[in-house]
PDB file of all heavy atoms in Angstrom:
ATOM      1  N   ASN A  11      92.163  29.005 -12.833  1.00  0.00           N
ATOM      2  CA  ASN A  11      92.534  28.089 -13.923  1.00  0.00           C
ATOM      3  C   ASN A  11      91.320  27.590 -14.711  1.00  0.00           C
ATOM      4  O   ASN A  11      91.468  26.858 -15.687  1.00  0.00           O
ATOM      5  CB  ASN A  11      93.300  26.892 -13.338  1.00  0.00           C
ATOM      6  CG  ASN A  11      94.143  26.212 -14.399  1.00  0.00           C
ATOM      7  OD1 ASN A  11      94.579  26.865 -15.352  1.00  0.00           O
ATOM      8  ND2 ASN A  11      94.339  24.924 -14.275  1.00  0.00           N
ATOM      9  N   MET A  12      90.125  28.016 -14.280  1.00  0.00           N
ATOM     10  CA  MET A  12      88.893  27.509 -14.896  1.00  0.00           C
ATOM     11  C   MET A  12      88.861  27.649 -16.424  1.00  0.00           C
ATOM     12  O   MET A  12      88.497  26.703 -17.128  1.00  0.00           O
ATOM     13  CB  MET A  12      87.683  28.221 -14.277  1.00  0.00           C
ATOM     14  CG  MET A  12      86.346  27.682 -14.709  1.00  0.00           C
ATOM     15  SD  MET A  12      84.996  28.586 -13.928  1.00  0.00           S
ATOM     16  CE  MET A  12      85.048  30.112 -14.840  1.00  0.00           C
ATOM     17  N   PRO A  13      89.289  28.818 -16.978  1.00  0.00           N
ATOM     18  CA  PRO A  13      89.210  28.955 -18.439  1.00  0.00           C
ATOM     19  C   PRO A  13      90.036  27.920 -19.200  1.00  0.00           C
ATOM     20  O   PRO A  13      89.753  27.637 -20.349  1.00  0.00           O
ATOM     21  CB  PRO A  13      89.749  30.367 -18.695  1.00  0.00           C
ATOM     22  CG  PRO A  13      89.626  31.064 -17.392  1.00  0.00           C
ATOM     23  CD  PRO A  13      89.773  30.037 -16.329  1.00  0.00           C
ATOM     24  N   ASN A  14      91.073  27.365 -18.532  1.00  0.00           N
ATOM     25  CA  ASN A  14      91.872  26.335 -19.196  1.00  0.00           C
ATOM     26  C   ASN A  14      91.263  24.943 -19.044  1.00  0.00           C
ATOM     27  O   ASN A  14      91.671  24.008 -19.733  1.00  0.00           O
ATOM     28  CB  ASN A  14      93.292  26.298 -18.616  1.00  0.00           C
ATOM     29  CG  ASN A  14      93.976  27.631 -18.763  1.00  0.00           C
ATOM     30  OD1 ASN A  14      93.877  28.261 -19.812  1.00  0.00           O
ATOM     31  ND2 ASN A  14      94.633  28.088 -17.709  1.00  0.00           N
ATOM     32  N   ARG A  15      90.386  24.807 -18.099  1.00  0.00           N
ATOM     33  CA  ARG A  15      89.873  23.472 -17.786  1.00  0.00           C
ATOM     34  C   ARG A  15      88.428  23.224 -18.229  1.00  0.00           C
ATOM     35  O   ARG A  15      88.057  22.119 -18.561  1.00  0.00           O
ATOM     36  CB  ARG A  15      89.958  23.240 -16.264  1.00  0.00           C
ATOM     37  CG  ARG A  15      91.372  23.040 -15.770  1.00  0.00           C
ATOM     38  CD  ARG A  15      91.911  21.669 -16.167  1.00  0.00           C
ATOM     39  NE  ARG A  15      93.297  21.522 -15.800  1.00  0.00           N
ATOM     40  CZ  ARG A  15      94.301  21.716 -16.645  1.00  0.00           C
ATOM     41  NH1 ARG A  15      94.069  22.034 -17.906  1.00  0.00           N
ATOM     42  NH2 ARG A  15      95.552  21.571 -16.243  1.00  0.00           N
ATOM     43  N   LEU A  16      87.612  24.298 -18.180  1.00  0.00           N
ATOM     44  CA  LEU A  16      86.206  24.123 -18.581  1.00  0.00           C
ATOM     45  C   LEU A  16      85.942  24.934 -19.842  1.00  0.00           C
ATOM     46  O   LEU A  16      86.334  26.101 -19.934  1.00  0.00           O
ATOM     47  CB  LEU A  16      85.255  24.604 -17.476  1.00  0.00           C
ATOM     48  CG  LEU A  16      85.257  23.816 -16.167  1.00  0.00           C
ATOM     49  CD1 LEU A  16      84.202  24.368 -15.206  1.00  0.00           C
ATOM     50  CD2 LEU A  16      84.974  22.333 -16.403  1.00  0.00           C
ATOM     51  N   ALA A  17      85.285  24.298 -20.794  1.00  0.00           N
ATOM     52  CA  ALA A  17      84.947  24.991 -22.049  1.00  0.00           C
ATOM     53  C   ALA A  17      84.180  26.267 -21.713  1.00  0.00           C
ATOM     54  O   ALA A  17      83.267  26.228 -20.892  1.00  0.00           O
ATOM     55  CB  ALA A  17      84.077  24.081 -22.900  1.00  0.00           C
ATOM     56  N   PRO A  18      84.547  27.387 -22.329  1.00  0.00           N
ATOM     57  CA  PRO A  18      83.829  28.632 -22.024  1.00  0.00           C
ATOM     58  C   PRO A  18      82.331  28.504 -22.251  1.00  0.00           C
ATOM     59  O   PRO A  18      81.532  29.103 -21.543  1.00  0.00           O
ATOM     60  CB  PRO A  18      84.428  29.647 -23.014  1.00  0.00           C
ATOM     61  CG  PRO A  18      85.694  29.044 -23.484  1.00  0.00           C
ATOM     62  CD  PRO A  18      85.614  27.563 -23.296  1.00  0.00           C
TER      63      PRO A  18
END
Side-chain angles (χ1 to χ4, degrees):
N11 202 29
M12 187 180 74
N14 302 317
R15 288 287 175 263
L16 294 183

